[in-house]
Amino acid sequence: MKLFQCFSYYPSYKSALHLLTRPSDSFENQKKAFLDDRFGAAHVLLPIDRKDPDAFFTNWDDERLQRAWARQNGIKPAATLESILLAQIEAHGTEVFYTIDPVRLNSTFLKKLPGTVKRTIAWRAAPGDAGIFANYDLIVGNFPAILQRMAKEGCRTAEFFPGHDPVMDEYAANHERKIDVLFVGGYSRHHKHRALVLEQVARLAKDRTVVMHLDRSRLTVIAESPVGRLLNLSAHRRPKSLRAVSRPPIFGRKLYAALGAAKIVLNGAIDISGMERGNMRCFEALGCGSLLLSDAGIYPKGMLDGNTLVTYKTATEAVNRIEDLLGSHEHRLAIASRGNAMVRDVYAKEQQWAQFLTLVG
């Protein structure tokens, strides 16, 4: 099977990635640097990790990467990123096209695919207008309610889960965890409940080592700028206690290293997710051997409150859970150990790939 996996990454990761490469680097060297850094590795399918010659991988909207491929293949400098992507698919002879970006690569894009493509599959983990990608053969994700909503709007859907990245194992083996509480994630108007929890947990910093790597929204960045402070944007600024423990966003292996240095990883779902849980931080925290403290809700298979993770309902309860867990070393380690063993077993990359093959048919 000629598999083409089409990726995309957060804009805030771009500068970190470009430090690993040079503009003159070849397409293969740039791609290798990205894959070695493990950004979003839970979504990277096994044939890509194994360098299967029939599998092709790219970040379609990474201009530096894609124009390197275009130069090497005689494509004019003025070519659009979409046209470069289509040229890659044609040159590869793709049979199965799998993307995590069906919003921009929507039904209009699908009409331009070459005839070799027999199956189109897209990952989707957020609600939205299903009509823009209804022409995909299959929409996959690990949030059942979102999939059910899409199915009612005419999409064919199936559950599919992130896979445990074996590279995490070296970080999980770290026994010297100097960070008491770690949070890594976004901070925006879409995370109101999360913001309340972060604010209260940040106050523990007077007695505990609390670290929060926040990927601030553009509105938050503006609100906290000198000009923004003159505007009525106070609701979008981080509280003083939170700013005191905030650090820049981290990704890839730096994220793994931080998770591997943390006793407790705090997690909180985006508001629009409802009661469904299972965002990427769950898989990453468990994979790196930390105890996952996350908001109460409906979790994927194996993620059980009090057994493989711990949940909270309110900000006050989150603070109390943290104090209890830090005061009970053996109990905390036992839950963290069970969580790590579970995610390595239930969500192994080999099982993820076997499931994908079943979905392809």
Side-chain angles (χ1 to χ4, degrees), residues 217-264:
S217 70
R218 283 177 290 184
L219 187 54
T220 298
V221 171
I222 292 170
E224 294 181 350
S225 69
V227 173
R229 291 190 175 279
L230 300 175
L231 304 174
N232 185 26
L233 296 173
S234 58
H236 302 285
R237 299 183 194 119
R238 293 166 297 167
K240 184 178 179 180
S241 61
L242 189 52
R243 293 199 307 272
V245 299
S246 294
R247 299 183 186 179
I250 51 173
F251 306 97
R253 286 183 178 265
K254 288 185 178 179
L255 169 61
Y256 286 5
L259 295 172
K263 296 170 186 172
I264 297 172

Side-chain angles (χ1 to χ4, degrees), residues 56-70:
F56 189 97
F57 178 95
T58 195
N59 287 305
W60 83 275
D61 58 349
D62 183 334
E63 188 149 359
R64 179 190 283 187
L65 175 73
Q66 290 296 81
R67 296 209 178 280
W69 188 90

Side-chain angles (χ1 to χ4, degrees), residues 38 40-44 161-165 168 256 280 283 349 352:
R38 311 312 292 164
H43 287 298
V44 176
F161 292 88
H164 171 67
D165 180 11
M168 292 179 181
Y256 286 5
M280 286 301 302
F283 294 91
K349 279 288 185 96
Q352 180 193 43

Side-chain angles (χ1 to χ4, degrees), residues 180 200-211 241 244-245:
D180 290 320
Q200 288 206 30
V201 171
R203 295 173 186 168
L204 294 174
K206 62 181 184 295
D207 300 310
R208 304 290 189 180
T209 303
V210 179
V211 176
S241 61
V245 299

Side-chain angles (χ1 to χ4, degrees), residues 276-336:
E276 289 196 319
R277 301 292 180 262
N279 61 319
M280 286 301 302
R281 197 66 69 246
C282 296
F283 294 91
E284 292 163 341
L286 294 172
C288 289
S290 310
L291 183 139
L292 175 65
L293 175 64
S294 192
D295 46 349
I298 303 168
Y299 279 85
K301 178 182 178 181
M303 297 185 188
L304 306 172
D305 182 27
N307 186 300
T308 55
L309 56 83
V310 176
T311 66
Y312 63 86
K313 292 181 180 178
T314 65
T316 299
E317 192 173 33
V319 171
N320 292 337
R321 291 278 189 272
I322 289 169
E323 294 288 20
D324 290 344
L325 290 164
L326 291 176
S328 181
H329 180 74
E330 296 297 330
H331 181 57
R332 175 174 54 78
L333 288 183
I335 296 175

Side-chain angles (χ1 to χ4, degrees), residues 188-207:
S188 77
R189 66 184 185 278
H190 302 299
H191 304 95
K192 290 181 180 178
H193 179 62
R194 176 191 290 182
L196 291 173
V197 174
L198 295 182
E199 181 181 358
Q200 288 206 30
V201 171
R203 295 173 186 168
L204 294 174
K206 62 181 184 295
D207 300 310

